[in-house]
Each structure stands twice: as C-alpha cells, then as structure tokens.
C-alpha cells in the first residue's frame, strides 16, 4: 500500500491485528502493551523492570514476530564486552584483509536481557545504537537496520553483582514499564495455551512487515499536537523539576519523548491528533524513570511515579477542540477507537477491526484522580 493513501484508521486496524496476534501467545496487560507499541511507533526503546518469570522475553519476541521483524536476544553478563554487542573487525586470512563482523545489535528488535548485569562500558555500547541508530567500530560507522528497537530488562529485586543504569542511559528509554503478575484467569490461560502446544516457548505468525512498521512510524510523524497540549506536556515536566522530592526532574529529552509517544498513542487509537488523555495515560511510563530522587525521598520510599502523579494532578487539563476534519475527541482515552469503514484498507491488508483499545475503560491516571 502506498504511504500517501494510508490513514489513521488503517494504522489502528493494523495495530489491532498485531495486538490480537501477540495475545495469542502472551498474557500482557493492555496498558503495558499500549505503552510498548507506542514506543515502537515513536522510534523509541523500552525498559522492562520486573521479577523473573513474568514473560518479559516472550513479550519482546512475540512483538517482533507479530510485526515481521528480526529478533535477537542478548544476555548481559559481567564478562560481556562492548564488541560482543556491536561487533568487531576480524582478519580474513584468505582475502588478506580486515572485515567487519556485525554483532547481535544489527537486527530490528534487540532484547538486552538483564542489562544491569553488564559493566558500564558494555552498557554504554548501546548508547550510540539507541540514540543514533548506528555503531562505530575502529573509526568506521555502520548504520543499523530500520526499524530498530531495544527492549531492555532488569530485575528490581536481586541487585547483587549488578551495575545500576546511569541516568543518561535511562533517559534514552522512551518508556519504562512493568508486566506484573497476570490475574487468575490470565494464568489459567497460560496453562491452556501450554497444553495446546508441543514447544516450550510460544511463537506467532507475522501479520505485518518491516515496511508496514516503517509506514506506521511515518504516519506517527504526521499526527498533530495542538499548542495547548504541547504546553500541557511542558508544564507537567516543569512541575516534576519543582518538586522538593526530586533532585532532577524530567529532562528536555524526556519532554520530546512524551511528545513522540503521545503521537504514536493517538495513531494507535485511530486519531490524527493528540488529546490530553494521551498525555495522562503515558505520563507515568514516559516520565517516572527520568526522575532522580533526593536522598530523603529515597529513604521515605518515594518513587518517580508518585512525583509524576502529583505533577499531573497539579496541572490544569487544557480544553482542546479537534480540527474541522477530525472527529470529536473522547474524554476517555481508549473508549472509542476509530471505526473501520468497510471500504478502507489496512496498512498491510484489509481487516475489519478497530484500534487495540476498543474495550475501553478509564486511564490509570483518571482512576487515581477519582480516588
């Protein structure tokens, strides 16, 4: 399908198909999946922090499989070298010359498993790849494939023999989220799926392609953000910096990442414009990990999410009207996905489905406000 003909409705249907395919193999909360897909469409990266066995690896792999992307899992260990990530130059005896052997980072989706177990020098090997989509080895720069996504995991409980990610690297992740334990029905579903397959790990067939993902990322860049919504993002970020419990608040880079993720979230819902609800929904996953707490706040058990919630509650929500050609925005993000017209085309193929959150419900931030 030509990029000039694709619409937000087409994008929403494609993402709906991806979500359905992911849920065939993994039990993932819709809010978590929404945040991860928003980061993907915004050309960002994801940090998953959770205890072992909650499905971090499976989720990253089936997202790649559903989108038709190449996937590589890289286990970070204390003896892992930077060249083990980026690749190295080796000597070819037959040709009599040096040639570059690409490392595992040269793929579409990289799972950096237990990233905090590798020393800082190896962690830093990912910085250039994440920010510039390239790696430099022996003075030569090599471009990484597009799309490119890093999904890094770390265990928040077991900290012995680990190296805490520096603030500069945490700031590179568009989204930080946690899968958590599934509910009772979710775990029953896991057993049902395991009983119906012969392999240890689940896998899914692709419903998209790298070209389709690149098209979705291009459509994300065309989503409009009203000046009032932009001001809303900046005011929330500045509130986090003014909080006495925060030594460092959300950075200017973080403001841009919220902006980008919100545009992707709007596209996932089938809209060509961002609403304040998109910001409220993604404020925690995109901002909380960028905040550095004071010593007193750390001792008191405060976390970055509490500071972000306080900032969101302290800033007035702007009233934003859609453009003349746009549908009316809903007050609940996720309650109404764009309806699919019978004659409209999917980004990859025709499909009668709406956005991935057609089942609706108030955002987590809304539920906290009401309480």
């Amino acid at each position: 399908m030509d990029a000039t003909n694709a619409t937000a409705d087409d994008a929403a249907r494609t993402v709906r198909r991806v979500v359905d395919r992911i849920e065939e193999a993994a039990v993932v909360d819709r809010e978590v999946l929404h945040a991860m897909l928003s980061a993907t469409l915004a050309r960002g990266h994801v940090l998953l922090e959770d205890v072992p066995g909650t499905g971090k690896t499976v989720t990253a792999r089936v997202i790649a499989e559903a989108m038709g992307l190449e996937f590589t899992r890289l286990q970070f260990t204390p003896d892992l070298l930077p060249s083990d990530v980026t690749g190295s130059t080796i000597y070819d005896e037959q040709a009599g010359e040096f040639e570059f052997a690409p490392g595992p980072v040269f793929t579409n989706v990289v799972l950096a498993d237990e990233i905090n177990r590798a020393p800082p020098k190896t962690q830093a090997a990912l910085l250039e790849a994440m920010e510039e989509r390239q790696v430099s080895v022996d003075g030569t720069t090599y471009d990484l494939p597009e799309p490119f996504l890093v999904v890094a995991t770390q265990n928040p409980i077991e900290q012995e023999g680990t190296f805490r990610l520096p603030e500069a690297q945490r700031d590179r992740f568009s989204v930080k989220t946690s899968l958590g334990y599934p509910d009772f029905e979710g775990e029953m579903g896991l057993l049902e799926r395991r009983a119906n397959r012969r392999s240890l790990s689940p896998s899914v067939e692709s419903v998209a392609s790298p070209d389709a993902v690149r098209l979705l990322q291009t459509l994300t860049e065309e989503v409009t953000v009203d000046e009032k919504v932009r001001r809303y993002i900046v005011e929330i970020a500045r509130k986090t910096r003014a909080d006495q419990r925060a030594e460092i608040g959300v950075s200017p880079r973080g403001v841009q990442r919220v902006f980008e993720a919100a545009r992707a979230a709007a596209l996932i819902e089938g809209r060509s414009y961002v609403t304040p609800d998109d910001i409220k929904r993604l404020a925690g996953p995109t901002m909380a990990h960028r905040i550095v707490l004071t010593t007193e706040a750390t001792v008191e058990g405060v976390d970055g999410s509490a500071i972000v919630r306080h900032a969101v509650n302290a800033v007035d929500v702007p009233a934003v009207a859609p453009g003349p050609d746009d549908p009316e925005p809903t007050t609940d993000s996720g309650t109404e996905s764009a309806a699919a017209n019978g004659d409209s085309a999917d980004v990859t193929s025709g499909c009668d489905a709406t956005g991935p959150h057609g089942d609706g419900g108030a955002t987590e931030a809304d539920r906290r406000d009401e309480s």
Side-chain angles (χ1 to χ4, degrees), residues 6-9 11-12 219-226 262-275 278 322-327 338:
T7 66
D9 286 346
L219 291 174
T220 297
E221 294 292 331
E222 299 173 1
V223 173
T224 60
V225 185
D226 188 270
R263 291 195 302 184
L267 187 70
I268 289 172
E269 298 293 346
R271 285 184 275 105
S272 60
Y273 60 92
V274 173
T275 69
D278 294 322
D325 298 327
D326 292 325

mmCIF file of all heavy atoms in Angstrom, residues 6-9 11-12 219-226 262-275 278 322-327 338:
data_model
loop_
_atom_site.group_PDB
_atom_site.id
_atom_site.type_symbol
_atom_site.label_atom_id
_atom_site.label_comp_id
_atom_site.label_asym_id
_atom_site.label_seq_id
_atom_site.Cartn_x
_atom_site.Cartn_y
_atom_site.Cartn_z
ATOM 1 N N ALA A 6 -2.405 5.805 3.122
ATOM 2 C CA ALA A 6 -2.654 5.257 4.445
ATOM 3 C C ALA A 6 -3.226 6.323 5.369
ATOM 4 O O ALA A 6 -2.845 7.485 5.317
ATOM 5 C CB ALA A 6 -1.361 4.696 5.036
ATOM 6 N N THR A 7 -4.166 5.927 6.219
ATOM 7 C CA THR A 7 -4.811 6.839 7.149
ATOM 8 C C THR A 7 -4.629 6.347 8.577
ATOM 9 O O THR A 7 -4.146 5.236 8.814
ATOM 10 C CB THR A 7 -6.310 6.959 6.843
ATOM 11 O OG1 THR A 7 -6.937 5.684 7.102
ATOM 12 C CG2 THR A 7 -6.555 7.354 5.397
ATOM 13 N N ALA A 8 -5.055 7.173 9.524
ATOM 14 C CA ALA A 8 -5.002 6.772 10.928
ATOM 15 C C ALA A 8 -5.879 5.558 11.178
ATOM 16 O O ALA A 8 -5.542 4.689 11.998
ATOM 17 C CB ALA A 8 -5.418 7.945 11.817
ATOM 18 N N ASP A 9 -7.020 5.473 10.487
ATOM 19 C CA ASP A 9 -7.889 4.303 10.624
ATOM 20 C C ASP A 9 -7.168 3.033 10.182
ATOM 21 O O ASP A 9 -7.271 1.982 10.823
ATOM 22 C CB ASP A 9 -9.164 4.481 9.798
ATOM 23 C CG ASP A 9 -10.131 5.466 10.431
ATOM 24 O OD1 ASP A 9 -9.934 5.803 11.614
ATOM 25 O OD2 ASP A 9 -11.072 5.897 9.740
ATOM 26 N N ALA A 11 -3.969 2.521 10.186
ATOM 27 C CA ALA A 11 -2.946 2.223 11.186
ATOM 28 C C ALA A 11 -3.555 1.534 12.397
ATOM 29 O O ALA A 11 -2.997 0.567 12.932
ATOM 30 C CB ALA A 11 -2.246 3.509 11.597
ATOM 31 N N ALA A 12 -4.712 2.027 12.851
ATOM 32 C CA ALA A 12 -5.367 1.435 14.018
ATOM 33 C C ALA A 12 -5.744 -0.015 13.762
ATOM 34 O O ALA A 12 -5.596 -0.875 14.643
ATOM 35 C CB ALA A 12 -6.608 2.250 14.395
ATOM 36 N N LEU A 219 3.542 7.573 9.612
ATOM 37 C CA LEU A 219 2.233 8.145 9.934
ATOM 38 C C LEU A 219 2.235 8.794 11.316
ATOM 39 O O LEU A 219 1.540 9.789 11.541
ATOM 40 C CB LEU A 219 1.161 7.057 9.867
ATOM 41 C CG LEU A 219 0.830 6.499 8.484
ATOM 42 C CD1 LEU A 219 -0.133 5.332 8.596
ATOM 43 C CD2 LEU A 219 0.243 7.591 7.590
ATOM 44 N N THR A 220 3.012 8.229 12.234
ATOM 45 C CA THR A 220 3.108 8.824 13.566
ATOM 46 C C THR A 220 3.644 10.242 13.495
ATOM 47 O O THR A 220 3.202 11.136 14.234
ATOM 48 C CB THR A 220 4.018 7.961 14.461
ATOM 49 O OG1 THR A 220 3.423 6.671 14.632
ATOM 50 C CG2 THR A 220 4.218 8.593 15.820
ATOM 51 N N GLU A 221 4.595 10.478 12.601
ATOM 52 C CA GLU A 221 5.181 11.814 12.465
ATOM 53 C C GLU A 221 4.168 12.837 11.942
ATOM 54 O O GLU A 221 4.379 14.038 12.079
ATOM 55 C CB GLU A 221 6.379 11.755 11.521
ATOM 56 C CG GLU A 221 7.550 10.939 12.042
ATOM 57 C CD GLU A 221 8.226 11.592 13.240
ATOM 58 O OE1 GLU A 221 8.192 12.832 13.335
ATOM 59 O OE2 GLU A 221 8.758 10.858 14.077
ATOM 60 N N GLU A 222 3.075 12.354 11.351
ATOM 61 C CA GLU A 222 2.078 13.265 10.784
ATOM 62 C C GLU A 222 0.953 13.592 11.759
ATOM 63 O O GLU A 222 0.078 14.401 11.451
ATOM 64 C CB GLU A 222 1.495 12.648 9.508
ATOM 65 C CG GLU A 222 2.545 12.414 8.413
ATOM 66 C CD GLU A 222 1.981 11.657 7.226
ATOM 67 O OE1 GLU A 222 0.768 11.326 7.247
ATOM 68 O OE2 GLU A 222 2.755 11.386 6.281
ATOM 69 N N VAL A 223 0.942 12.969 12.939
ATOM 70 C CA VAL A 223 -0.083 13.256 13.937
ATOM 71 C C VAL A 223 0.145 14.656 14.501
ATOM 72 O O VAL A 223 1.270 15.022 14.847
ATOM 73 C CB VAL A 223 -0.051 12.210 15.069
ATOM 74 C CG1 VAL A 223 -1.001 12.584 16.194
ATOM 75 C CG2 VAL A 223 -0.397 10.833 14.514
ATOM 76 N N THR A 224 -0.905 15.452 14.591
ATOM 77 C CA THR A 224 -0.780 16.831 15.045
ATOM 78 C C THR A 224 -0.943 16.925 16.564
ATOM 79 O O THR A 224 -1.688 16.163 17.166
ATOM 80 C CB THR A 224 -1.831 17.728 14.368
ATOM 81 O OG1 THR A 224 -3.147 17.239 14.695
ATOM 82 C CG2 THR A 224 -1.659 17.726 12.862
ATOM 83 N N VAL A 225 -0.238 17.878 17.140
ATOM 84 C CA VAL A 225 -0.313 18.137 18.581
ATOM 85 C C VAL A 225 -0.585 19.624 18.768
ATOM 86 O O VAL A 225 0.262 20.465 18.446
ATOM 87 C CB VAL A 225 0.984 17.733 19.306
ATOM 88 C CG1 VAL A 225 0.817 17.905 20.818
ATOM 89 C CG2 VAL A 225 1.372 16.299 18.980
ATOM 90 N N ASP A 226 -1.762 19.947 19.277
ATOM 91 C CA ASP A 226 -2.151 21.331 19.493
ATOM 92 C C ASP A 226 -1.179 22.018 20.459
ATOM 93 O O ASP A 226 -0.591 21.390 21.340
ATOM 94 C CB ASP A 226 -3.571 21.385 20.057
ATOM 95 C CG ASP A 226 -4.124 22.791 20.121
ATOM 96 O OD1 ASP A 226 -3.923 23.457 21.167
ATOM 97 O OD2 ASP A 226 -4.754 23.227 19.141
ATOM 98 N N ALA A 262 3.079 10.158 22.674
ATOM 99 C CA ALA A 262 1.672 10.563 22.632
ATOM 100 C C ALA A 262 1.143 10.566 21.202
ATOM 101 O O ALA A 262 -0.004 10.178 20.947
ATOM 102 C CB ALA A 262 1.503 11.943 23.261
ATOM 103 N N ARG A 263 1.966 10.984 20.257
ATOM 104 C CA ARG A 263 1.545 10.931 18.846
ATOM 105 C C ARG A 263 1.313 9.487 18.411
ATOM 106 O O ARG A 263 0.338 9.188 17.704
ATOM 107 C CB ARG A 263 2.587 11.598 17.957
ATOM 108 C CG ARG A 263 2.683 13.095 18.127
ATOM 109 C CD ARG A 263 3.441 13.756 16.997
ATOM 110 N NE ARG A 263 4.801 13.239 16.862
ATOM 111 C CZ ARG A 263 5.694 13.715 16.001
ATOM 112 N NH1 ARG A 263 5.382 14.721 15.209
ATOM 113 N NH2 ARG A 263 6.909 13.201 15.942
ATOM 114 N N ALA A 264 2.207 8.595 18.835
ATOM 115 C CA ALA A 264 2.023 7.179 18.495
ATOM 116 C C ALA A 264 0.762 6.620 19.140
ATOM 117 O O ALA A 264 0.021 5.849 18.513
ATOM 118 C CB ALA A 264 3.249 6.377 18.926
ATOM 119 N N ALA A 265 0.507 7.011 20.390
ATOM 120 C CA ALA A 265 -0.689 6.531 21.086
ATOM 121 C C ALA A 265 -1.958 6.991 20.379
ATOM 122 O O ALA A 265 -2.935 6.235 20.274
ATOM 123 C CB ALA A 265 -0.680 7.035 22.531
ATOM 124 N N ALA A 266 -1.948 8.223 19.897
ATOM 125 C CA ALA A 266 -3.108 8.724 19.160
ATOM 126 C C ALA A 266 -3.326 7.920 17.875
ATOM 127 O O ALA A 266 -4.458 7.559 17.532
ATOM 128 C CB ALA A 266 -2.919 10.207 18.829
ATOM 129 N N LEU A 267 -2.245 7.609 17.174
ATOM 130 C CA LEU A 267 -2.362 6.832 15.939
ATOM 131 C C LEU A 267 -2.892 5.434 16.231
ATOM 132 O O LEU A 267 -3.712 4.901 15.478
ATOM 133 C CB LEU A 267 -1.006 6.746 15.242
ATOM 134 C CG LEU A 267 -1.018 6.107 13.855
ATOM 135 C CD1 LEU A 267 -1.704 7.031 12.853
ATOM 136 C CD2 LEU A 267 0.403 5.799 13.391
ATOM 137 N N ILE A 268 -2.441 4.830 17.327
ATOM 138 C CA ILE A 268 -2.921 3.502 17.708
ATOM 139 C C ILE A 268 -4.432 3.520 17.918
ATOM 140 O O ILE A 268 -5.126 2.545 17.621
ATOM 141 C CB ILE A 268 -2.190 3.018 18.973
ATOM 142 C CG1 ILE A 268 -0.738 2.680 18.636
ATOM 143 C CG2 ILE A 268 -2.870 1.797 19.580
ATOM 144 C CD1 ILE A 268 0.119 2.365 19.849
ATOM 145 N N GLU A 269 -4.948 4.639 18.414
ATOM 146 C CA GLU A 269 -6.386 4.774 18.642
ATOM 147 C C GLU A 269 -7.135 5.222 17.389
ATOM 148 O O GLU A 269 -8.347 5.406 17.424
ATOM 149 C CB GLU A 269 -6.650 5.780 19.762
ATOM 150 C CG GLU A 269 -6.069 5.383 21.112
ATOM 151 C CD GLU A 269 -6.734 4.167 21.695
ATOM 152 O OE1 GLU A 269 -7.816 3.787 21.198
ATOM 153 O OE2 GLU A 269 -6.191 3.582 22.643
ATOM 154 N N GLY A 270 -6.427 5.407 16.283
ATOM 155 C CA GLY A 270 -7.080 5.788 15.033
ATOM 156 C C GLY A 270 -7.315 7.278 14.904
ATOM 157 O O GLY A 270 -8.171 7.702 14.121
ATOM 158 N N ARG A 271 -6.573 8.093 15.660
ATOM 159 C CA ARG A 271 -6.730 9.539 15.586
ATOM 160 C C ARG A 271 -5.509 10.192 14.948
ATOM 161 O O ARG A 271 -4.389 9.680 15.086
ATOM 162 C CB ARG A 271 -6.932 10.129 16.990
ATOM 163 C CG ARG A 271 -8.315 9.888 17.565
ATOM 164 C CD ARG A 271 -8.483 10.567 18.915
ATOM 165 N NE ARG A 271 -7.982 9.719 20.014
ATOM 166 C CZ ARG A 271 -6.855 9.905 20.666
ATOM 167 N NH1 ARG A 271 -6.076 10.927 20.344
ATOM 168 N NH2 ARG A 271 -6.498 9.098 21.633
ATOM 169 N N SER A 272 -5.729 11.314 14.291
ATOM 170 C CA SER A 272 -4.632 12.076 13.687
ATOM 171 C C SER A 272 -4.250 13.261 14.545
ATOM 172 O O SER A 272 -3.560 14.166 14.088
ATOM 173 C CB SER A 272 -5.032 12.561 12.283
ATOM 174 O OG SER A 272 -6.180 13.392 12.367
ATOM 175 N N TYR A 273 -4.680 13.292 15.785
ATOM 176 C CA TYR A 273 -4.363 14.378 16.706
ATOM 177 C C TYR A 273 -4.250 13.812 18.116
ATOM 178 O O TYR A 273 -4.819 12.768 18.444
ATOM 179 C CB TYR A 273 -5.448 15.466 16.666
ATOM 180 C CG TYR A 273 -6.817 14.941 17.041
ATOM 181 C CD1 TYR A 273 -7.277 14.984 18.354
ATOM 182 C CD2 TYR A 273 -7.645 14.367 16.073
ATOM 183 C CE1 TYR A 273 -8.520 14.476 18.694
ATOM 184 C CE2 TYR A 273 -8.885 13.859 16.403
ATOM 185 C CZ TYR A 273 -9.311 13.920 17.713
ATOM 186 O OH TYR A 273 -10.545 13.403 18.048
ATOM 187 N N VAL A 274 -3.507 14.511 18.965
ATOM 188 C CA VAL A 274 -3.271 14.084 20.347
ATOM 189 C C VAL A 274 -4.230 14.797 21.282
ATOM 190 O O VAL A 274 -4.507 15.989 21.115
ATOM 191 C CB VAL A 274 -1.807 14.386 20.747
ATOM 192 C CG1 VAL A 274 -1.580 14.110 22.233
ATOM 193 C CG2 VAL A 274 -0.849 13.558 19.912
ATOM 194 N N THR A 275 -4.741 14.084 22.267
ATOM 195 C CA THR A 275 -5.601 14.665 23.291
ATOM 196 C C THR A 275 -4.851 14.685 24.624
ATOM 197 O O THR A 275 -3.873 13.947 24.805
ATOM 198 C CB THR A 275 -6.897 13.857 23.465
ATOM 199 O OG1 THR A 275 -6.583 12.581 24.048
ATOM 200 C CG2 THR A 275 -7.591 13.653 22.122
ATOM 201 N N ASP A 278 -4.128 11.313 26.171
ATOM 202 C CA ASP A 278 -2.950 10.580 25.712
ATOM 203 C C ASP A 278 -1.759 10.902 26.598
ATOM 204 O O ASP A 278 -0.955 10.020 26.928
ATOM 205 C CB ASP A 278 -2.631 10.929 24.255
ATOM 206 C CG ASP A 278 -3.700 10.470 23.285
ATOM 207 O OD1 ASP A 278 -4.251 9.373 23.488
ATOM 208 O OD2 ASP A 278 -3.992 11.211 22.326
ATOM 209 N N PRO A 322 -10.919 19.412 18.260
ATOM 210 C CA PRO A 322 -10.302 18.829 17.063
ATOM 211 C C PRO A 322 -10.424 19.779 15.887
ATOM 212 O O PRO A 322 -11.179 20.752 15.920
ATOM 213 C CB PRO A 322 -11.112 17.553 16.831
ATOM 214 C CG PRO A 322 -12.451 17.865 17.414
ATOM 215 C CD PRO A 322 -12.176 18.751 18.610
ATOM 216 N N GLY A 323 -9.666 19.484 14.840
ATOM 217 C CA GLY A 323 -9.749 20.277 13.631
ATOM 218 C C GLY A 323 -11.069 20.046 12.917
ATOM 219 O O GLY A 323 -11.842 19.152 13.258
ATOM 220 N N PRO A 324 -11.354 20.837 11.871
ATOM 221 C CA PRO A 324 -12.635 20.712 11.185
ATOM 222 C C PRO A 324 -12.861 19.360 10.531
ATOM 223 O O PRO A 324 -14.004 18.943 10.364
ATOM 224 C CB PRO A 324 -12.571 21.842 10.135
ATOM 225 C CG PRO A 324 -11.104 22.129 9.973
ATOM 226 C CD PRO A 324 -10.496 21.888 11.301
ATOM 227 N N ASP A 325 -11.773 18.666 10.206
ATOM 228 C CA ASP A 325 -11.910 17.366 9.535
ATOM 229 C C ASP A 325 -11.730 16.196 10.486
ATOM 230 O O ASP A 325 -11.763 15.040 10.071
ATOM 231 C CB ASP A 325 -10.883 17.241 8.391
ATOM 232 C CG ASP A 325 -11.093 18.303 7.325
ATOM 233 O OD1 ASP A 325 -12.260 18.675 7.097
ATOM 234 O OD2 ASP A 325 -10.095 18.752 6.746
ATOM 235 N N ASP A 326 -11.544 16.465 11.766
ATOM 236 C CA ASP A 326 -11.299 15.411 12.740
ATOM 237 C C ASP A 326 -12.550 15.100 13.529
ATOM 238 O O ASP A 326 -13.373 15.969 13.774
ATOM 239 C CB ASP A 326 -10.205 15.825 13.725
ATOM 240 C CG ASP A 326 -8.849 15.937 13.063
ATOM 241 O OD1 ASP A 326 -8.597 15.135 12.144
ATOM 242 O OD2 ASP A 326 -8.070 16.818 13.445
ATOM 243 N N PRO A 327 -12.717 13.852 13.975
ATOM 244 C CA PRO A 327 -13.843 13.509 14.845
ATOM 245 C C PRO A 327 -13.660 14.136 16.206
ATOM 246 O O PRO A 327 -12.553 14.511 16.595
ATOM 247 C CB PRO A 327 -13.779 11.977 14.909
ATOM 248 C CG PRO A 327 -12.349 11.658 14.647
ATOM 249 C CD PRO A 327 -11.866 12.691 13.677
ATOM 250 N N ALA A 338 -11.025 4.394 16.421
ATOM 251 C CA ALA A 338 -11.606 4.809 15.159
ATOM 252 C C ALA A 338 -12.323 3.641 14.520
ATOM 253 O O ALA A 338 -11.802 2.552 14.406
ATOM 254 C CB ALA A 338 -10.499 5.312 14.237
#
